[in-house]
Amino acid sequence: MAPPTAAGPGRRSFVLASAGAALALGTGAPAHARGRPPFGRYGSPAARLDGRTLYVHPGGLGDHSTVQAAVDAARGTDGGGHTLVIAPGTYRETVAVGADRTDMTWLGASGDARDVVIVYDNAGGTPKPGGGTHGTSGSATTTVQADGFTARGITFANDWLRADHPGITGTQAVAIKVQGDRSAFLHCRFLGHQDTLYADSMALGVFARQYFAHCYAEGDVDFVFGRATAVFEHCHFRTLRRTDLTGAPYGFVFAPSTAVANPHGYLVTGSRVTSEAPDGHYKLARPWVPSSDPTARPMLTVRGTRLGAGIDAVEPYGTMSSGHPWQSQRFAEYRNSGPGAEIVVPANRPQLTRAEAASHHRGTYLGDWRPYERRF
């Protein structure tokens, strides 16, 4: 994604504040999780739910002490469908779920996403061993390529900070890149600054469906982006304060890159957008037409969502590339509320009619896949 207009300080407090100092320092479970069975109601290595359940514990009380080791042990050749139960703790590692690890489920053992944090600190401009830099995709703390992936009660974070690396211009720092079809995230958190949540697909011609419910995502520049068909239901998006910029805009919440042939891009419904920043210092979205897909026609529908005062109500959309103005893309709103949703300049706030809105709901976007009916 495009870099911000300046590099400057951020904050790492989202890890410290979310789970207490003990968790942030990797010393074990957060204080409010201590004294409980490490795997909650999901059994243990001695009382395994089934043969496809693996237990992860940072102190060695599970089958594995890192998430990646457990993913590697869940062999896709035996049919997939493994479950990882992850005990409270900070897992400072990068994790890759290959395409052969299908129908995998990750469960935060405590049920509170603040307790289970998977975090690393690579950025797009971070040098790689052997030469070169990671790039946007390579910066991801967690990468999921497998179809049928589900996560519940987990925090995915990238705590790379601009202020710590003033010489690096590639400030994209992805917390998670999701490429698989039928990928669901329930009660999860996504923490970062630029390019936090990369909701994408494996290839231009692949329309990956993804579902995010009761999730929290925060960042500053394009922090929810990509070409997936993604539904965000009852989610909270939080824009961060920036001290390195002297004026608006500080950034953009959404930057979809939907393929022109895909009838469904990003749908945000029943959600809210809040901000740490001064009023009007963030745009709701801008279209991303990447060089790898110059025919992309980004799509974003925001409906039934409260937009706080941090969103610029006069000009809520921006243009990333002069050849692809936002007005030529598929951006629309329907029955939003809050000061950031005020229709000040009607031409700048494309609104769906009631008849048009009827086709913009989770059923039409996700088709025969109904992750919202799944119970844990």
Side-chain angles (χ1 to χ4, degrees):
M1 295 297 299
T5 55
R11 65 190 180 94
R12 192 172 279 114
S13 60
F14 54 70
V15 174
L16 292 169
S18 66
L23 176 58
L25 296 173
T27 58
H32 64 277
R34 292 176 187 165
R36 304 176 187 172
F39 302 107
R41 59 189 176 91
Y42 299 111
S44 69
R48 205 175 297 274
L49 293 183
D50 56 46
R52 294 179 184 272
T53 300
L54 299 173
Y55 296 87
V56 185
H57 188 282
L61 299 181
D63 299 305
H64 304 279
S65 59
T66 69
V67 179
Q68 186 63 64
V71 171
D72 292 343
R75 299 297 179 189
T77 54
D78 63 359
H82 286 79
T83 296
L84 305 189
V85 179
I86 307 175
T90 294
Y91 298 84
R92 180 160 286 277
E93 58 177 307
T94 59
V95 184
V97 182
D100 61 338
R101 302 305 200 258
T102 56
D103 299 310
M104 179 175 283
T105 298
W106 293 6
L107 300 175
S110 74
D112 188 336
R114 296 173 301 169
D115 294 340
V116 179
V117 180
I118 302 171
V119 60
Y120 209 72
D121 60 351
N122 282 329
T126 302
K128 293 193 301 184
T133 57
H134 284 284
T136 300
S137 292
S139 74
T141 298
T142 301
T143 302
V144 178
Q145 296 182 327
D147 292 341
F149 180 86
T150 299
R152 182 183 179 97
I154 296 172
T155 292
F156 300 89
N158 189 319
D159 62 358
W160 188 91
L161 298 179
R162 300 182 186 105
D164 295 345
H165 308 276
I168 291 181
T169 57
T171 56
Q172 304 88 345
V174 177
I176 187 169
K177 180 176 183 179
V178 188
Q179 297 176 279
D181 185 37
R182 296 179 292 105
S183 300
F185 295 83
L186 312 173
H187 299 277
C188 288
R189 301 194 309 156
F190 308 95
L191 309 181
H193 287 268
Q194 182 174 352
D195 292 5
T196 305
L197 172 54
Y198 196 170
D200 206 53
S201 70
M202 286 292 287
L204 291 179
V206 176
F207 304 156
R209 296 164 296 173
Q210 299 171 9
Y211 179 67
F212 301 82
H214 304 282
C215 290
Y216 173 88
E218 70 178 25
D220 49 35
V221 179
D222 306 329
F223 63 93
V224 181
F225 73 111
R227 64 171 173 251
T229 292
V231 174
F232 300 90
E233 188 169 44
H234 307 306
C235 291
H236 179 189
F237 304 92
R238 179 94 169 153
T239 60
L240 300 178
R241 180 178 61 88
R242 296 187 66 173
T243 59
D244 57 306
L245 299 182
T246 58
Y250 281 180
F252 308 80
V253 181
F254 302 100
S257 58
T258 322
V260 66
N262 190 348
H264 303 298
Y266 285 1
L267 171 65
V268 181
T269 179
S271 297
R272 60 186 170 124
V273 179
T274 64
S275 183
E276 294 181 353
D279 291 356
H281 273 56
Y282 273 88
K283 305 288 189 184
L284 183 61
R286 63 177 177 175
W288 177 31
V289 181
S291 58
S292 59
D293 184 17
T295 66
R297 191 158 178 252
M299 181 179 183
L300 168 70
T301 299
V302 181
R303 61 177 299 170
T305 291
R306 179 173 176 79
L307 306 180
I311 297 299
D312 179 0
V314 178
E315 297 184 30
Y317 302 104
T319 293
M320 186 181 301
S321 173
S322 60
H324 305 281
W326 74 264
Q327 294 89 343
S328 300
Q329 313 310 322
R330 294 176 284 178
F331 285 5
E333 302 178 45
Y334 183 68
R335 292 188 175 179
N336 295 317
S337 62
E342 183 180 356
I343 302 176
V344 180
V345 180
N348 290 344
R349 313 249 19 181
Q351 302 290 311
L352 296 174
T353 66
R354 182 177 181 180
E356 290 170 336
S359 64
H360 291 270
H361 60 84
R362 65 188 186 186
T364 56
Y365 277 58
L366 302 179
D368 60 358
W369 177 52
R370 298 179 176 85
Y372 38 85
E373 294 179 354
R374 185 174 180 184
R375 297 291 181 266
F376 291 90

